[in-house]
């Protein structure tokens, strides 16, 4: 009888150990399934044509990699100065011809974004007028930056609190935001909102402007993966703009 009992006890212990081994294996596999995820794709780290560093545009904790906005209201605010001299509307630094209409480069991109999102357009305009010829405009913009000017805005956003997402478009002037953008970002409080930058440039990309936006709006979520378009590519940029907007996962209905 004791011999039978001993045999049964031994068999029970073997089965118990096997069951424990299977349970431990399932636990490890389940843990790996929950914790291992595909590595994120590296951000574009191409150097600027000016040779200047991108100034760590993802250092600020409030800068995000993607837009996680819901289906809230969207505003597309942009600053655009259309030059009238020197170059044609295909390779222009500041204008493009679309369906017989001549638009500022950032105005054109803003209109594509508006079409894709159904958001509201807002042109950031100033009381003062900017030169519309290339060299005088460059000099004017340089002097504004040197003076740390804050140009007065000519219009205000109606019900800014009603927007959850703000697309913000501007040209890269002197590796910086145009000074009207400083006025704009200092006059409005976009706390709790998502700011999505886009820019046109002559080779410098965003420079440090995304970091600057984050500093001027510390309580907003500023998207690091903005849209940067060379001035020579604006007329052919529609597909890139559409793909970029769709990739933001804005859940636009």
């Amino acid at each position: 009888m004791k011999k039978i009992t001993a045999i049964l006890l031994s068999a029970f212990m073997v089965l118990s150990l096997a069951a424990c081994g299977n349970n431990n294996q399932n636990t490890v596999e389940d843990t790996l399934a929950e914790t291992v995820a595909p590595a994120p794709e590296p951000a574009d780290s191409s150097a600027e044509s000016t040779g200047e560093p991108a100034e760590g545009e993802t250092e600020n904790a409030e800068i995000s990699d993607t837009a996680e906005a819901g289906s809230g209201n969207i505003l597309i605010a942009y600053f655009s100065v259309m030059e009238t001299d020197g170059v044609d509307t295909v390779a222009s630094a500041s204008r493009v011809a679309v369906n017989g209409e001549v638009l500022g480069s950032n105005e054109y991109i803003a209109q594509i974004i508006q079409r894709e999102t159904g958001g509201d357009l807002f042109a950031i305009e100033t009381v003062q007028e900017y030169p519309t010829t290339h060299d005088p405009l460059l000099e004017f913009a340089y002097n504004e930056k040197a003076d740390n000017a804050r140009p007065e805005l000519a219009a205000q956003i109606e019900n800014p609190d009603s927007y959850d997402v703000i697309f913000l478009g501007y040209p890269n002037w002197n590796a910086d935001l145009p000074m009207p953008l400083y006025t704009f970002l200092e006059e409005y409080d976009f706390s709790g909102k998502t700011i999505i930058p886009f820019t046109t440039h002559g080779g410098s990309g965003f420079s440090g402007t995304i970091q600057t936006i984050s500093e001027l709006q510390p309580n907003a979520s500023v998207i690091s993966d903005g849209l940067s378009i060379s001035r020579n590519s604006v007329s052919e940029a529609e597909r890139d703009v559409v793909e970029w907007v769709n990739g933001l996962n804005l859940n636009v209905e």
Side-chain angles (χ1 to χ4, degrees):
M1 182 67 178
K2 291 181 178 180
K3 185 176 181 180
I4 294 174
T5 302
I7 292 171
L8 291 174
L9 181 60
S10 297
F12 176 76
M13 292 178 66
V14 170
L15 291 173
S16 297
L17 290 173
C20 290
N22 288 336
N23 286 339
N24 287 338
Q25 184 179 7
N26 289 339
T27 300
V28 172
E29 290 174 350
D30 290 345
T31 302
L32 288 173
E34 291 174 0
T35 59
V36 177
E41 294 182 1
D44 182 6
S45 58
S46 56
E48 296 176 16
S49 62
T50 58
E52 298 177 357
E55 298 185 14
E57 292 183 346
T58 59
E59 291 180 359
N60 191 299
E62 294 300 326
I63 298 181
S64 303
D65 289 330
T66 58
E68 296 181 352
S71 56
N73 292 333
I74 295 173
L75 178 71
I76 304 102
Y78 66 93
F79 176 70
S80 192
V81 177
M82 185 171 62
E83 296 174 23
T84 58
D85 73 326
V87 289
D88 60 35
T89 56
V90 175
S92 171
S94 64
R95 70 187 193 268
V96 60
V98 181
N99 297 326
E101 182 181 10
V102 179
L103 305 171
S105 293
N106 287 280
E107 179 184 15
Y108 171 59
I109 295 169
Q111 288 188 6
I112 298 172
I113 296 171
Q114 193 276 335
R115 185 192 69 199
E116 294 299 309
T117 64
D120 295 334
L121 282 174
F122 178 78
I124 300 172
E125 298 176 335
T126 59
V127 172
Q128 70 182 23
E129 294 184 0
Y130 283 85
T132 59
T133 52
H134 188 69
D135 289 341
L137 178 59
L138 288 179
E139 182 179 4
F140 194 96
Y142 178 82
N143 291 334
E144 263 196 343
K145 178 179 170 64
D147 294 339
N148 198 28
R150 295 295 186 272
E152 182 182 353
L153 301 183
Q156 302 297 319
I157 301 171
E158 294 185 11
N159 303 318
D161 291 339
S162 66
Y163 297 104
D164 300 320
V165 176
I166 296 92
F167 283 88
L168 186 62
Y170 50 90
N172 181 331
W173 282 1
N174 301 300
D176 199 357
L177 295 171
M179 301 316 292
L181 268 292
Y182 279 87
T183 305
F184 179 81
L185 290 168
E186 289 172 355
E187 285 192 4
Y188 292 98
D189 181 4
F190 295 130
S191 295
K193 303 180 187 299
T194 298
I195 300 176
I196 308 176
F198 63 94
T199 188
T200 56
H201 61 90
S204 297
F206 277 110
S207 298
T209 59
I210 292 181
Q211 183 69 30
T212 300
I213 294 168
S214 183
E215 292 169 358
L216 293 171
Q217 292 289 331
N219 297 315
S221 178
V222 183
I223 300 306
S224 65
D225 191 18
L227 180 66
S228 171
I229 298 179
S230 167
R231 66 187 183 185
N232 296 326
S233 302
V234 172
S235 63
E236 302 171 352
E238 180 175 5
R239 177 177 295 179
D240 290 339
V241 177
V242 171
E243 290 179 353
W244 172 69
V245 171
N246 292 337
L248 291 170
N249 298 319
L250 293 173
N251 297 325
V252 177
E253 296 181 357

